[in-house]
Amino acid sequence: EHRFTRASASQPTMWVVKGWAVLRFSSPIVAEGDEEPNDTFVEQVQLNAKAAAEFLIGRGIGRMGGFAVGGHSYGAFMTAHLLAHTNYFNAGIARSGAYLRALTPFGFQAEERSFWESPETYHELSPFSHAPKIAKGRGKLLLLHGTNDENSGTYPMQSERLFDALKGHGAVCRLVLLPNEGHSYYARESVLHMLAEQENWLDKYVSEPFNASGAECEALPALPGDDKDGQLTASAVLEQPVPMRWVAGIAAFAFIGGVFIAHTARL
């Protein structure tokens, strides 16, 4: 009660006025006992994304072929992983992220082990290591970064190196460096440029291909170890007698506290 939604350029709320719906879901990385959460990071990220996609598909809000994901900082890091380890998203937007964990060797987020104590964890949790998977996947990645990023874990080199790796493997990607901006973007010119880049990217790789595809249904791709017979598919859901809204895209903006997903609705 008495709570109001605040809109800002850095949040996905603004996409609502362009016909997008917004879903916020939590994407926790957890562990039990003496286990380390990041030891199963990839598996947990996959299952979290699958749960969100099934939620949208199951309620007739979204369907495969019309999803994208994006985030800022740690959310950008998760975005790159989702493009590498799932095949749900047609496009990704990653702002001011960290993609090579060897450049943060003494820990990051909840990871307390150093690079030298657990090098395999740092390798597995580096989207840079999975550049070939991103390149072969369906998602097209837009990278944005401030040239004066003051965050020790997200220097501009992070985006530059991932971009080089992706281009080297033939990926469709774009790197936008915003002059004189730090970890967050404040100048009017930078904010407007960021919004224009995001909109153009989503239109080109999500909305336009999706709208051109008509009403064809596509099953939710299986994750490693999935039982394909048990998957929830768009075609099965569309046969249910429930009110439907076609969607033309999904954009997610992920932060430490959770992931924001927005999808375009064609009413």
Side-chain angles (χ1 to χ4, degrees):
E1 186 180 4
H2 304 307
R3 294 183 62 184
F4 301 91
T5 300
R6 297 184 62 184
S8 70
S10 63
Q11 299 289 341
T13 315
M14 59 160 289
W15 296 102
V16 174
V17 301
K18 295 184 66 64
W20 296 61
V22 177
L23 166 70
R24 177 178 180 176
F25 74 99
S26 180
S27 185
I29 306 299
V30 299
E32 292 183 325
D34 295 330
E35 296 180 356
E36 294 290 338
N38 284 333
D39 286 347
T40 55
F41 174 89
V42 171
E43 293 85 352
Q44 293 190 57
V45 165
Q46 289 175 325
L47 293 174
N48 290 337
K50 181 181 179 182
E54 288 185 339
F55 175 86
L56 295 171
I57 293 174
R59 283 154 181 77
I61 299 173
R63 66 180 174 89
M64 280 304 304
F67 294 143
V69 64
H72 189 96
S73 194
Y74 189 72
F77 163 77
M78 294 184 70
T79 293
H81 272 294
L82 286 170
L83 293 189
H85 301 297
T86 75
N87 209 27
Y88 301 156
F89 307 102
N90 279 37
I93 298 172
R95 305 190 317 235
S96 301
Y99 313 107
L100 180 56
R101 283 306 178 184
L103 297 177
T104 57
F106 291 101
F108 55 91
Q109 304 302 334
E111 181 56 63
E112 297 180 352
R113 295 168 295 183
S114 72
F115 171 83
W116 298 274
E117 292 174 302
S118 186
E120 65 282 356
T121 299
Y122 280 71
H123 174 80
E124 183 68 13
L125 265 68
S126 295
F128 179 89
S129 304
H130 307 293
K133 292 183 179 179
I134 298 175
K136 293 178 181 178
R138 73 190 301 159
K140 313 300 189 293
L141 184 59
L142 171 64
L143 295 161
L144 299 102
H145 219 118
T147 60
N148 292 354
D149 194 329
E150 72 284 3
N151 189 333
S152 61
T154 57
Y155 290 141
M157 180 189 298
Q158 294 274 5
S159 289
E160 293 169 346
R161 293 295 177 265
L162 179 60
F163 177 75
D164 290 342
L166 292 174
K167 293 300 290 183
H169 285 89
V172 175
C173 57
R174 179 176 172 84
L175 172 63
V176 178
L177 296 176
L178 301 173
N180 304 314
E181 292 293 352
H183 191 59
S184 299
Y185 321 139
Y186 294 103
R188 181 190 297 269
E189 295 85 353
S190 298
V191 171
L192 292 175
H193 191 91
M194 174 194 72
L195 294 175
E197 290 282 355
Q198 292 180 163
E199 182 169 0
N200 290 340
W201 198 257
L202 294 176
D203 284 346
K204 184 173 183 179
Y205 294 111
V206 182
S207 297
E208 293 175 4
F210 183 89
N211 290 332
S213 69
E216 297 179 4
C217 297
E218 179 182 352
L220 191 68
L223 294 175
D226 265 352
D227 177 6
K228 293 186 178 181
D229 293 335
Q231 287 189 83
L232 177 66
T233 66
S235 57
V237 171
L238 294 178
E239 296 172 357
Q240 300 176 8
V242 295
M244 300 297 300
R245 288 184 300 162
W246 290 111
V247 298
I250 178 165
F253 294 83
F255 298 88
I256 295 175
V259 179
F260 296 82
I261 293 189
H263 50 268
T264 308
R266 191 197 318 158
L267 301 178

